Amino acid sequence: MRYPLACALAFAVFFVVSPHVGAGERMRYLEIINRAHDRVTSVWLAPAGSHAYRELLLGEQVRGGGAAATVQIVSDHCLHDVLVEFNGGRRALYPEVDICRHRGLRLRPLPATGRPRPAMEAKRDHMPVASGEQPT
């Protein structure tokens, strides 16, 4: 008799503790891998083109040189714009990241000087471009 009681208790705790997901929304995880030299101080996410950004790291930081952090995303959209801020205030925009198809986002080093260049080549089937500019 203890086994059914333990199962019922575990089931109840799972639904009380787990985040509430609305109708049509799915919970996904995105691993942010910082291959840049600078520390990442904040990461924002918005449905592609919406500019409705929300903070993902919530006070955490990701060291440079290959450190990673996994963030939880609850959304009914697959394509998201990811805005990353590095130590010192520099920013990179990764537009239209497909969180349904990709489980990770590799952050590349930003250009040292001059006009910001894309950190990656933009292709539909690959990871998006980092422009180094904040969306308006």
Side-chain angles (χ1 to χ4, degrees):
M1 288 217 189
R2 289 185 180 185
Y3 182 74
L5 180 61
C7 287
L9 182 59
F11 186 74
V13 167
F14 173 76
F15 281 104
V16 170
V17 173
S18 66
H20 299 285
V21 177
E25 293 183 329
R26 295 199 54 180
M27 186 181 327
R28 301 185 191 284
Y29 295 93
L30 182 68
E31 183 177 25
I32 298 171
I33 305 155
N34 185 8
R35 300 298 300 167
H37 306 292
D38 294 326
R39 192 177 31 176
V40 170
T41 57
S42 58
V43 176
W44 295 281
L45 180 90
S50 73
H51 303 288
Y53 287 93
R54 67 179 190 264
E55 173 68 42
L56 291 180
L57 290 179
L58 301 174
E60 293 182 41
Q61 296 185 359
V62 183
R63 289 180 296 114
T70 302
V71 294
Q72 181 179 341
I73 301 168
V74 177
S75 177
D76 56 349
H77 297 83
C78 285
L79 297 179
H80 286 79
D81 294 337
V82 180
L83 181 62
V84 179
E85 184 171 336
F86 294 92
N87 190 36
R90 296 181 68 188
R91 293 182 176 180
L93 173 63
Y94 291 80
E96 297 183 1
V97 174
D98 190 343
I99 64 170
C100 297
R101 292 183 64 199
H102 303 287
R103 294 183 184 169
L105 177 64
R106 269 181 247 121
L107 307 178
R108 302 291 306 251
L110 294 176
T113 60
R115 181 165 163 66
R117 298 180 318 235
M120 309 170 142
E121 292 298 320
K123 293 185 180 176
R124 200 69 164 134
D125 296 333
H126 293 83
M127 300 185 90
V129 172
S131 68
E133 299 175 5
Q134 180 180 1
T136 55

